Amino acid sequence: MQSGQAWADEAATVHPGQWPRATWPLPKDAALEQRVASLMARMTVEEKVGQLIQADILSVTPDDVRKYRLGSILAGGNSKPHGALLANAEQWKELADAFYRASMDTSGGHVAIPLLFGIDAVHGHNNVVGATLFPQNSALGSAHDPELIREIGAATAAEVRATGLNWTFAPTVAVPQDVRWGRSYEGYSQDPQLVAQYGAAMVEGLQGKVGSAEFLDSSHVVATAKHFVADGGTKNGKDQGDAQISEATLRSVHAAGYPPAIEAGVQTVMASFSSWNGEKMHANKGLLTDVLKGRLDFQGIVVGDWNAHGQVPGCSNDDCPAAINAGLDMLMGPDSWRGLYEHTLAEVKSGLISQSRLDDAVARILRVKIRAGLFGQGAPSTLPLAMKSTEVVGSPAHRAIARRAVRETLVLLKNNGGVLPIDPRQHILVAGDGADNISRQSGGWTLTWQGAGLKNENFPGAQSIGAGLAEQVRAAGGTTEIAADGHYTRKPDVAVVVFGEDPYAEFQGDIPNLMYRPGDDHDLELIRQLHGQGIPVVAVFLSGRPLWVNREINAADAFVAAWLPGSEGGGVADVLLRTRDGRIGHDFHGKLAYAWPRSAVAGDGPAQFPLGYGLTYADHADVPTLPEASGISGVQVPVGNYLERGKAVHGYTFTLAGGTGTAVSADVSPAETADGSLRMTALDYKAQEDARRFSWNKDSAELAIHAQSPIDLDRETNGDVLLVTTLRVDALPTAQAWIGMECGGHCQGHVAIGAQLAKLAPGQWVRVGVPLKCFRAAGADMHHIDQPFVLGAGNGDVLAIHRVALGTDVDQVIDCAK
């Protein structure tokens, strides 16, 4: 019998000869090779090593680039010019110019080599205020339209170049097999054939077609096929996890998008954070070198992901020769770049990294820069599109493409009684949390990494779904009311309830099962409430993935999977409403690119709605009542939510403790500690008794939320997540307030917040966020948190609390350095 390690070693063995062949589409170019050789002959070893390093704009300056001759910079999801929260085209161009000038500075005898400036433009140029936001990839799969994808790519490239940048980390060609994965919405489909078609189309849209005059011209950008390979195949859908699958599945399913992308001329491929049968992709030479660069003939740059090399055994964020020796040409060291440069330089000089491996990597990087015309284009702001950025970014032409994409991606799952299409001459209620919420309908990777904490005014030129409906209804002579809570002044003829997932990105979107909002039924209650009043209800579901929503489907008369449609909410109205003269203006075209689950258990039997399912207005058969057994036993605990409407959520308990340490239950209000040091009463915030008021009559009293079993918040901590408390300061004379997390015994991390809370206006509700890193720095073991929220204050202090949860959407962040 084989040992577990022996099996893992055998399972991770790569057989390049069994992989399909691909052909690099660019012929040998003697002039290009001579130019590369000439540049390299003039470069010092220090300059060559600099080309291998990519730094984030929040951790590098133009002077750093001038000194270290770095080959690339990037802007991460939360990285904006000058550390701003949001940035417009002009600010991006100014920053791009500054870095460009630094890279071209030849003082001191340096060789002028322009920078690659990368960004995650993954559903449009989504980091820029005013940009066109296309539907997320999981939506686009439902269109089954590669030509649309090509148009989206070209429009995105134009907006990226208009802001002075030249490289996007797209397309994602993952083939998600378990949508519990938080990055599922970045994948076009669970069908590898569709992913292969779309990947090639997006590459051609972003870069231009190989052989044409447009290929990598000043209107196009360098594209990236990512993440190589099987990021969508990890066990239980865990982000950065382990794909425990055969090489045949790796090859035929998860690698399907790479040969077409390579043959379309994709210039870069990004390695995955994840592992294959226990071996980290960032150190897998068999796959990176023997398969990708060998069998698949990829001749561009293999770039790493955000400090992912630091997860390789024996490596750290600032030192990983194993990744370079395995085949990575450029390491993404956003905040670790300086140490990475120094260690890599020493390892080249010692021979740990060979001169030939260094030269191969540098040559690949230089070829891409030359092909992209970076040496002759001049400063980014002087390019034709950049000189008219206000006309390009968010242009009417681009928004028209996005609106068409919305129409093509909507999937009609149910239309009982023919409630759709809606007569726009009626009185229509638009309800639900997503009714007038551009952030909610756009999802993660939207202006910020997680896409949360944004308001409609942050999206100039965009339109919410509710606003799009109201505009067309008004033009047809009808009327609308938009109310998230469903309250209306006049009984509507029909209600459109827009609801769905909160924005998230990467591992923050990982979920344990396919239940929609476990432990929180307020959307279902709203649909049932309106339906119970005799109002026909059309449910519009916003999500990055299929989820188990059988109850919501049953409660509504019609149910539309709208995915994450982006900035053009009017596209939803185009399909839901008849024209003013009663015709069907646009029918439903979307067909599921992901099977819709029959239960909340991942992989549980046949789908409720299979791949390719999608009704049109010509389909008149009603959908029968769906089973409402989720398949999940036990009380469901909302992920990352600890206190809601003043009460502990299911799975947690709430206590008050006085100076003696004796705890009393705070599940029922009013409550008071035995020594009278802390008293809790109920009060109204948004609804009756949906908040709690805490009055301290002595020092050393505290309130706490307790988990049934320790929870692991380490990944959330590394991902810059906050503990967000919705609170109101009524009195804070002592300024002794603190928030903590505790991990059993004497393990705890307390963060002082009194001085910063004392600056808040009394009586005003605010969302205060404490970075989880602050608790770790204060001593908490984030792997074993048994009290995720503890709050203490002093005699005379009075605070009210409505909600406590993990998140990034806040009004004020506590600076724990103070």
Side-chain angles (χ1 to χ4, degrees):
M1 180 179 293
Q2 287 183 305
S3 68
Q5 184 59 50
W7 177 88
D9 292 342
E10 181 178 314
T13 301
V14 183
H15 303 86
Q18 297 176 10
W19 286 65
R21 286 192 179 276
T23 303
W24 184 248
L26 298 169
K28 294 292 183 182
D29 185 335
L32 182 149
E33 293 303 324
Q34 181 165 351
R35 191 170 180 186
V36 169
S38 175
L39 284 168
M40 291 181 64
R42 295 158 48 206
M43 295 170 68
T44 64
V45 67
E46 287 80 7
E47 288 173 315
K48 288 180 178 179
V49 169
Q51 289 298 302
L52 272 59
I53 308 299
Q54 184 179 57
D56 183 78
I57 60 172
L58 291 187
S59 300
V60 68
T61 66
D63 283 339
D64 291 328
V65 168
R66 187 176 286 109
K67 176 180 178 180
Y68 291 93
R69 318 309 294 177
L70 302 184
S72 177
I73 57 173
L74 82 150
N78 285 331
S79 301
K80 304 295 185 296
H82 311 299
L85 176 65
L86 304 173
N88 59 29
E90 292 303 315
Q91 292 165 314
W92 283 107
K93 285 191 295 183
E94 180 186 357
L95 183 71
D97 275 358
F99 277 110
Y100 170 79
R101 287 192 294 268
S103 71
M104 301 302 284
D105 187 343
T106 58
S107 60
H110 288 303
V111 181
I113 300 176
L115 282 166
L116 281 165
F117 193 156
I119 198 165
D120 288 275
V122 294
H123 65 120
H125 197 11
N126 43 267
N127 286 278
V128 177
V129 170
T132 308
L133 300 174
F134 295 93
Q136 297 275 7
N137 288 353
S138 59
L140 294 176
S142 298
H144 298 271
D145 186 350
E147 182 54 38
L148 172 64
I149 303 308
R150 193 173 283 105
E151 291 183 49
I152 290 172
T156 300
E159 297 201 13
V160 171
R161 289 312 291 262
T163 60
L165 283 61
N166 51 39
W167 182 10
T168 177
F169 303 131
T172 297
V173 291
V175 189
Q177 299 299 292
D178 187 334
V179 296
R180 290 179 292 176
W181 184 37
R183 303 192 76 161
S184 291
Y185 66 85
E186 297 184 47
Y188 296 115
S189 176
Q190 69 184 70
D191 176 7
Q193 291 184 323
L194 182 60
V195 171
Q197 292 175 357
Y198 269 31
M202 181 58 80
V203 168
E204 287 191 348
L206 291 166
Q207 295 190 165
K209 190 172 180 63
V210 172
S212 73
E214 294 181 342
F215 181 63
L216 291 176
D217 67 4
S218 62
S219 297
H220 291 83
V221 296
V222 171
T224 307
K226 67 181 189 183
H227 307 86
F228 191 83
V229 62
D231 49 341
T234 59
K235 183 178 180 181
N236 297 326
K238 183 178 181 181
D239 190 47
Q240 304 180 16
D242 188 18
Q244 298 176 9
I245 56 178
S246 69
E247 186 179 5
T249 300
L250 182 74
R251 192 172 58 233
S252 62
V253 176
H254 297 285
Y258 291 95
I262 290 168
E263 293 185 344
V266 70
Q267 294 294 294
T268 69
V269 169
M270 183 179 290
S272 178
F273 263 107
S274 59
S275 305
W276 176 51
N277 289 327
E279 184 174 349
K280 281 289 180 184
M281 286 303 310
H282 271 61
N284 194 316
K285 186 175 183 179
L287 288 170
L288 295 179
T289 296
D290 300 340
V291 170
L292 179 58
K293 293 181 173 180
R295 186 73 172 181
L296 299 183
D297 197 26
F298 176 63
Q299 296 181 30
I301 302 168
V302 178
V303 63
D305 207 341
W306 187 280
N307 276 334
H309 55 271
Q311 296 184 5
V312 172
C315 289
S316 64
N317 285 356
D318 63 0
D319 187 13
C320 194
I324 296 173
N325 287 333
L328 257 71
D329 303 306
M330 182 180 287
L331 297 181
M332 188 184 289
D335 53 359
S336 59
W337 64 268
R338 187 175 278 100
L340 201 56
Y341 169 89
E342 293 169 349
H343 282 110
T344 302
L345 178 61
E347 286 148 2
V348 168
K349 290 182 175 180
S350 73
L352 186 58
I353 298 171
S354 70
Q355 188 68 45
S356 62
R357 175 75 272 269
L358 173 66
D359 286 348
D360 172 58
V362 174
R364 287 171 175 269
I365 293 166
L366 294 178
R367 289 188 193 107
V368 170
K369 292 182 176 185
I370 293 170
R371 289 189 199 111
L374 302 187
F375 283 86
Q377 289 177 349
S381 66
T382 66
L383 296 181
L385 292 181
M387 293 179 71
K388 55 178 181 179
S389 58
T390 55
E391 300 173 32
V392 176
V393 175
S395 72
H398 295 166
R399 291 189 183 279
I401 297 169
R403 187 161 178 159
R404 174 161 63 89
V406 175
R407 293 195 297 262
E408 287 196 34
T409 54
L410 301 176
V411 180
L412 181 59
L413 298 183
K414 176 183 179 181
N415 190 22
N416 285 14
V419 65
L420 288 173
I422 299 168
D423 183 346
R425 296 168 298 179
Q426 301 180 101
H427 182 58
I428 300 169
L429 171 68
V430 189
D433 295 339
D436 190 33
N437 192 321
I438 298 170
S439 173
R440 178 72 63 86
Q441 71 194 42
S442 299
W445 290 109
T446 300
L447 297 186
T448 64
W449 176 40
Q450 295 294 318
L454 301 166
K455 299 177 175 60
N456 284 357
E457 50 263 36
N458 298 135
F459 299 91
Q463 187 177 54
S464 71
I465 293 171
L469 286 163
E471 180 182 63
Q472 293 191 38
V473 168
R474 183 170 55 252
T479 55
T480 56
E481 291 185 63
I482 301 177
D485 60 6
H487 290 155
Y488 51 81
T489 58
R490 171 185 158 200
K491 187 174 181 180
D493 297 301
V494 63
V496 179
V497 178
V498 187
F499 67 104
E501 292 187 286
D502 293 322
Y504 56 83
E506 301 192 40
F507 58 81
Q508 290 190 43
D510 285 0
I511 51 178
N513 56 56
L514 300 180
M515 293 192 74
Y516 168 64
R517 290 196 184 282
D520 181 357
D521 289 342
H522 79 273
D523 296 312
L524 176 62
E525 292 167 359
L526 175 59
I527 295 171
R528 286 175 172 171
Q529 172 191 334
L530 292 169
H531 194 272
Q533 295 169 14
I535 303 168
V537 177
V538 176
V540 176
F541 185 50
L542 303 173
S543 72
R545 53 194 161 195
L547 293 171
W548 185 74
V549 284
N550 280 13
R551 297 179 302 163
E552 289 82 356
I553 294 173
N554 285 340
D557 296 281
F559 194 96
V560 177
W563 311 103
L564 297 170
S567 61
E568 306 313 301
V572 176
D574 291 344
V575 181
L576 264 56
L577 300 175
R578 291 185 181 273
T579 62
R580 67 178 70 186
D581 58 4
R583 294 178 297 105
I584 295 175
H586 296 279
D587 203 343
F588 282 90
H589 294 287
K591 306 295 179 184
L592 291 178
Y594 288 89
W596 204 275
R598 65 185 294 270
S599 81
V601 179
D604 180 23
Q608 188 71 68
F609 301 107
L611 282 174
Y613 179 89
L615 302 174
T616 69
Y617 285 138
D619 296 308
H620 300 296
D622 286 356
V623 173
T625 301
L626 305 179
E628 295 196 357
S630 70
I632 304 294
S633 60
V635 174
Q636 295 305 297
V637 179
V639 178
N641 193 0
Y642 308 125
L643 188 94
E644 189 71 53
R645 301 176 187 177
K647 297 182 179 180
V649 302
H650 294 301
Y652 295 89
T653 56
F654 188 17
T655 64
L656 309 179
T660 62
T662 303
V664 298
S665 173
D667 291 335
V668 178
S669 182
E672 188 174 11
T673 59
D675 62 358
S677 59
L678 179 58
R679 177 171 174 78
M680 179 186 80
T681 55
L683 79 159
D684 299 344
Y685 171 32
K686 294 182 176 181
Q688 184 176 359
E689 295 193 359
D690 65 342
R692 299 291 181 267
R693 191 169 188 257
F694 301 91
S695 302
W696 276 262
N697 299 312
K698 295 180 182 178
D699 294 338
S700 302
E702 62 187 49
L703 54 109
I705 299 290
H706 306 261
Q708 290 181 345
S709 58
I711 51 180
D712 187 348
L713 296 178
D714 185 66
R715 283 200 301 163
E716 288 81 356
T717 303
N718 292 332
D720 294 327
V721 178
L722 313 174
L723 180 68
V724 182
T725 306
T726 303
L727 58 79
R728 187 184 76 188
V729 175
D730 289 345
L732 206 63
T734 72
Q736 293 179 12
W738 53 267
I739 286 180
M741 284 190 169
E742 302 193 357
C743 32
H746 300 290
C747 176
Q748 63 185 29
H750 291 178
V751 177
I753 61 172
Q756 294 177 70
L757 290 188
K759 299 176 183 178
L760 299 177
Q764 179 180 345
W765 286 96
V766 292
R767 295 164 300 175
V768 175
V770 180
L772 296 187
K773 289 180 178 178
C774 293
F775 299 118
R776 180 169 64 188
D781 179 355
M782 304 308 290
H783 288 285
H784 303 282
I785 298 297
D786 60 4
Q787 293 183 51
F789 175 73
V790 186
L791 175 66
N795 185 25
D797 293 337
V798 182
L799 297 171
I801 298 177
H802 167 70
R803 185 173 190 263
V804 179
L806 300 183
T808 56
D809 189 358
V810 298
D811 300 306
Q812 179 170 330
V813 177
I814 295 296
D815 182 357
C816 57
K818 293 184 178 181

